[in-house]
Amino acid sequence: MKRIMSLLRATLATLLLWHALPTLAAELPPLSLADAKAKAAVILDTRASYFYQGWPMEGEQQGGHVAGAENLSADWKYSDEEWPAALATKGLQAERPVALYGAPREVAEVARLLRQQGIKQLFELQGWKSAPREHLARWQQLVHPRWLADLQEGKPVVAAPKGDWKLFEVAWGSPKAYLLSHIPGAGYIDTNRLEEEPLWNKVSDEALKKLLLENGIRHDTTVILYGRNTMAAARAAHLMMYAGVEDVRLLDGGLDAWFVQHLRTETGLANTFKPAKEFGVAIPAHPEYYTTLSQAKELLKQPDGALVSVRTWDEFVGNTSGYSYIKPKGDIPGAKWGRGGVDANSMSDFHNPDGTMKPAREILAMWDEWNIEPTQQAAFYCGTGWRASEAFFYAWLMDWKRISVYDGGWYEWSADPKNPTVTGERKPAK
């Protein structure tokens, strides 16, 4: 009984807080966009990242964020240890003005959080809905849960597929978790059908084509992918793009994002689709998206080439291989560090606290530290291809023109003792 009463009190306190938030937001002094720029204020978008990236909200004619704005969603949860880095990344300082915009409750919640972090000069941005906007170049390919749910229900949606579309969950192995809970109507793709031992490189083009046709996928089918780990979905996305599927999309934030929205799930066996008779174009339609071992070696010699290691710092400097089945430690001499996550199963450096893609400006800033530039010929790699595929997809969303995945990665490179390796602390070449 005591536990029930405690939960009721906590719920009531939360409801009272959220009821008061619009009033708190109204207490923020107003600031025009012109005055915000004159004060060199940080402009802060407090909405969900989907709208920041480019999706229009209901009733909006344009999506995206106010030009130059940072994103700090009211829904994100930072730990005490994470707040200093978050503030620094977004240019938030105690004495620097901050102009917030979004729904009243979102503005009020972020204002509350910032006050706790010692940010004092808080304003509410006026006229933001009609201000010039920026957006991710290919925002349509990074879909959000509500859009997918509306599409499933047959409602009109922005950036709707032009024709046939199919949804798939992607994961390694048999669909154990899928059987217990998955997005309605989703098929299932086991990554064992995409890659093979001993190095977990991609399967043959013929085997890839067979998988696509079995699942009713042609070059002109819109394919929407999600995973319990976005890396798995990105692995499938990259290889489908390599094959020639013209419209591949990822669910931003993966299955967790669907759960957060409390959208319906279903149980049971994987949904199957009528097989396609032909793919429609020769595979691969985009061989330039795939880099081999020999091509990776040539890229290291190329003046505008960038072989980008999407691994943890400990992997990059040789403290660990990152995998139980990879014994050698170190990395490829001449490679640039493109960041990764906390371990080989993480891409947290690229994610907001809710697992969605970070703003392009933050990813670009990370890469710029290691002289990884949009104009370069860039091949991303990791241990066996999953993390590299997600980095590739984000670069593609930002409209990088000359990108690929070095599929073999550290596993293939380190398997041959004749290939040079390097360990120890190092810095970007100047």
Side-chain angles (χ1 to χ4, degrees):
M1 187 67 181
K2 290 182 178 179
R3 176 173 173 78
I4 293 174
M5 293 301 296
S6 177
L7 288 171
L8 286 173
R9 284 195 294 270
T11 301
L12 179 60
T14 300
L15 289 172
L16 290 172
L17 173 63
W18 277 100
H19 180 73
L21 284 178
T23 303
L24 293 172
E27 293 176 356
L28 293 180
L31 192 67
S32 70
L33 183 59
D35 288 342
K37 291 181 178 178
K39 291 176 175 287
V42 176
I43 299 174
L44 205 56
D45 188 330
T46 65
R47 303 172 302 161
S49 62
Y50 317 119
F51 305 122
Y52 178 92
Q53 298 286 27
W55 290 94
M57 298 190 304
E58 186 175 354
E60 277 193 322
Q61 296 300 312
Q62 62 173 342
H65 55 274
V66 173
E70 303 288 347
N71 189 204
L72 201 162
S73 172
D75 297 328
W76 295 347
K77 308 299 180 187
Y78 289 107
S79 66
D80 291 341
E81 294 75 20
E82 291 170 332
W83 265 112
L87 296 176
T89 296
K90 299 175 191 304
L92 297 167
Q93 302 170 7
E95 303 302 327
R96 187 177 180 185
V98 182
L100 299 87
Y101 71 89
R105 281 188 171 85
E106 294 168 334
V107 170
E109 172 63 6
V110 174
R112 181 185 71 83
L113 293 171
L114 292 181
R115 287 193 185 100
Q116 291 179 348
Q117 299 302 318
I119 307 299
K120 302 174 182 178
Q121 297 190 56
L122 299 173
F123 301 87
E124 186 168 12
L125 187 68
Q126 303 297 297
W128 63 272
K129 290 186 178 180
S130 59
R133 301 282 185 98
E134 295 175 333
H135 55 75
L136 186 64
R138 289 192 170 104
W139 57 270
Q140 303 95 327
Q141 309 307 124
L142 195 65
V143 306
H144 64 90
R146 187 68 260 173
W147 177 90
L148 178 56
D150 287 345
L151 178 67
Q152 289 178 316
E153 293 171 12
K155 297 178 180 179
V157 293
V158 176
K162 294 180 180 179
D164 180 41
W165 65 272
K166 292 178 172 65
L167 172 69
F168 295 92
E169 179 172 322
V170 187
W172 178 81
S174 60
K176 295 178 181 178
Y178 173 99
L179 293 173
L180 299 176
S181 178
H182 58 267
I183 298 177
Y188 182 80
I189 294 177
D190 177 359
T191 57
N192 284 311
R193 297 290 306 279
L194 297 168
E195 53 191 14
E196 59 188 357
E197 296 184 88
L199 299 174
W200 300 110
N201 285 358
K202 79 167 187 67
V203 295
S204 69
D205 291 346
E206 196 57 38
L208 179 59
K209 179 180 179 180
K210 180 181 179 182
L211 172 65
L212 296 174
L213 294 181
E214 282 179 7
N215 284 283
I217 299 172
R218 289 173 40 88
H219 74 285
D220 53 0
T221 302
T222 294
V223 180
I224 304 167
L225 303 167
Y226 74 91
R228 292 161 201 272
N229 186 322
T230 297
M231 292 187 298
R235 178 64 160 155
H238 167 251
L239 292 178
M240 288 184 186
M241 292 166 65
Y242 159 85
V245 180
E246 297 167 357
D247 186 6
V248 179
R249 310 191 191 195
L250 286 187
L251 177 61
D252 197 12
L255 187 60
D256 284 346
W258 186 267
F259 289 149
V260 166
Q261 295 293 321
H262 304 292
L263 294 167
R264 186 173 67 89
T265 59
E266 63 184 14
T267 61
L269 297 174
N271 186 40
T272 58
F273 301 99
K274 180 181 179 180
K277 294 181 180 179
E278 58 182 24
F279 186 65
V281 298
I283 295 178
H286 290 287
E288 72 276 11
Y289 287 162
Y290 188 90
T291 290
T292 64
L293 173 61
S294 61
Q295 290 170 330
K297 291 179 177 180
E298 288 301 314
L299 189 63
L300 288 169
K301 304 174 185 177
Q302 193 172 315
D304 66 341
L307 192 59
V308 183
S309 177
V310 187
R311 306 173 72 202
T312 65
W313 181 250
D314 278 343
E315 287 173 278
F316 187 66
V317 300
N319 293 335
T320 177
S321 74
Y323 303 81
S324 60
Y325 53 86
I326 300 178
K327 300 307 179 185
K329 301 175 184 179
D331 216 307
I332 301 173
K336 301 181 179 187
W337 188 47
R339 305 286 285 267
V342 295
D343 56 35
N345 294 309
S346 166
M347 282 288 280
S348 56
D349 289 346
F350 293 81
H351 294 164
N352 297 313
D354 61 356
T356 55
M357 176 187 170
K358 278 186 176 180
R361 67 174 70 243
E362 295 183 21
I363 294 175
L364 290 172
M366 290 192 312
W367 285 346
D368 187 61
E369 291 178 8
W370 278 77
N371 304 314
I372 303 165
E373 306 294 341
T375 57
Q376 294 172 335
Q377 181 80 46
F380 301 95
Y381 73 93
C382 53
T384 61
W386 286 36
R387 288 175 286 177
S389 295
E390 190 168 341
F392 165 90
F393 196 81
Y394 291 157
W396 180 74
L397 291 176
M398 293 186 285
D399 200 27
W400 285 36
K401 305 294 187 184
R402 306 162 66 205
I403 52 174
S404 65
V405 171
Y406 165 38
D407 193 23
W410 176 243
Y411 197 8
E412 180 179 56
W413 185 279
S414 64
D416 185 350
K418 296 179 182 178
N419 290 329
T421 62
V422 62
T423 59
E425 300 283 324
R426 49 197 183 279
K427 297 180 180 180
K430 294 183 179 179

